[in-house]
Amino acid sequence: MTFEPKILGFLCNWCSYAGADLAGVSRFQYPTNIRVIRVMCSARVDPVIILDAFLHGADGVFVGGCHLGDCHYISGNYYAQKKIEMTKKILDAVGIEVKRLKLEWVSASEGARFAEVITDFTNLIKKLGPSNFDDLKEELEAAKEAAMDYRLRILATKQKELMEGGNKYGEVFTKHEMDRLLDDMIKDELTIKRILSSLKKASSVKDLSLELNLSPPNVLRHVLDLKRSGLVELSEIKDSSPIYKVIE
Ligand code: FES
């Protein structure tokens, strides 16, 4: 049986959705694998929603918006671009092929192009095969929690300002610095969420590091930070090892 991918598409109302409409009216053929959700602007597509789509079995996610400079809300698609970049970094950290997420600009007059873009994307996902993320469920859940973190969200949406206008001290970030900052933050957040999830069941740092395949000093650093933040507590001392658990 041929594999028919499940593709979720988020299309902005003013350009890509109208482009899809034109494709339909003009009878341009494209695969029927995509299920469309209309959003007012591509900027409304949150990384959490994309991760949730993969968690619920999507094989690919497509986000369509107006061409840069044409967004109905002036700069929404620039924010969308940064959010998608961040989501791709998260997918990569989790071990999901980043090609399964695509952002494309399609205007209201580009019906033929819409059909072409969706055909190409569907073929690509067919080549990649079914998502089968069952063994990545916990990682994806942790990724979703990480994507909700306010620091990541601020960074995702403020990248443009920080790289062009700088922070409040006037420090302008280069693309390389911004990438490194984002990579480190994503790695840290994912580790924290995985530790919090594992510590629902009390555990020692040694057992946690084995379970999560992380170095003990790295786990200890995060556990102590979480303890200082009041999210984790010392539960008992067992065989001279401190046992920690999440504060319910
Ligand atoms: S309205 Fe289309 S991308 Fe913003």
Side-chain angles (χ1 to χ4, degrees):
M1 208 170 74
T2 50
F3 160 58
E4 289 301 338
K6 292 189 280 291
I7 297 175
L8 190 60
F10 296 95
L11 306 181
C12 94
N13 180 59
W14 305 100
C15 291
S16 295
Y17 191 84
D21 214 18
L22 182 63
V25 170
S26 316
R27 303 190 177 224
F28 293 125
Q29 301 286 314
Y30 61 90
T32 54
N33 302 72
I34 190 165
R35 295 292 175 273
V36 169
I37 295 176
R38 175 161 46 164
V39 290
M40 290 312 283
C41 176
S42 57
R44 295 306 305 266
V45 186
D46 196 275
V48 174
I49 301 175
I50 298 172
L51 294 167
D52 214 25
F54 284 118
L55 197 54
H56 285 87
D59 299 302
V61 174
F62 178 86
V63 181
C66 310
H67 285 275
L68 291 174
D70 288 347
C71 173
H72 197 73
Y73 306 97
I74 318 290
S75 53
N77 44 9
Y78 286 98
Y79 288 103
Q81 201 172 30
K82 294 301 168 199
K83 282 185 184 181
I84 297 295
E85 277 173 22
M86 185 185 99
T87 315
K88 286 194 173 199
K89 282 178 183 290
I90 295 177
L91 290 176
D92 194 36
V94 169
I96 292 175
E97 301 100 328
V98 295
K99 286 179 180 169
R100 291 185 184 273
L101 172 61
K102 187 169 182 63
L103 171 68
E104 194 67 60
W105 313 128
V106 180
S107 78
S109 61
E110 294 178 316
R113 192 161 161 269
F114 179 82
E116 199 180 293
V117 163
I118 297 303
T119 306
D120 289 350
F121 186 54
T122 309
N123 288 339
L124 174 76
I125 300 296
K126 278 187 180 172
K127 245 185 238 155
L128 290 175
S131 54
N132 265 340
F133 298 143
D134 281 355
D135 45 345
L136 287 178
K137 268 211 155 106
E138 276 178 30
E139 293 283 318
L140 267 169
E141 286 287 3
K144 232 177 87 182
E145 292 282 324
M148 285 180 206
D149 179 79
Y150 74 95
R151 292 179 315 152
L152 266 184
R153 299 176 79 86
I154 289 174
L155 201 58
T157 49
K158 297 279 179 208
Q159 273 188 67
K160 193 169 170 320
E161 280 106 302
L162 291 170
M163 284 165 65
E164 286 169 8
N167 62 14
K168 64 176 175 178
Y169 305 109
E171 297 163 331
V172 177
F173 288 71
T174 64
K175 168 99 175 78
H176 175 71
E177 286 169 333
M178 191 51 76
D179 275 347
R180 217 183 47 197
L181 185 64
L182 208 51
D183 284 340
D184 288 349
M185 222 184 241
I186 287 171
K187 213 161 78 191
D188 265 4
E189 277 309 313
L190 273 175
T191 305
I192 289 168
K193 302 307 179 210
R194 289 171 72 204
I195 289 175
L196 282 173
S197 166
S198 294
L199 280 185
K200 284 178 189 152
K201 208 172 88 219
S203 177
S204 67
V205 166
K206 191 175 156 207
D207 288 344
L208 261 182
S209 64
L210 287 173
E211 182 189 333
L212 302 175
N213 198 19
L214 295 167
S215 73
N218 189 15
V219 174
L220 180 64
R221 175 172 70 90
H222 285 299
V223 168
L224 293 180
D225 277 350
L226 290 167
K227 189 167 171 283
R228 268 192 294 273
S229 313
L231 295 168
V232 159
E233 65 182 355
L234 180 65
S235 157
E236 57 174 324
I237 303 282
K238 207 164 146 189
D239 302 330
S240 47
S241 283
I243 306 290
Y244 297 95
K245 72 174 175 62
V246 156
I247 297 173
E248 299 293 346

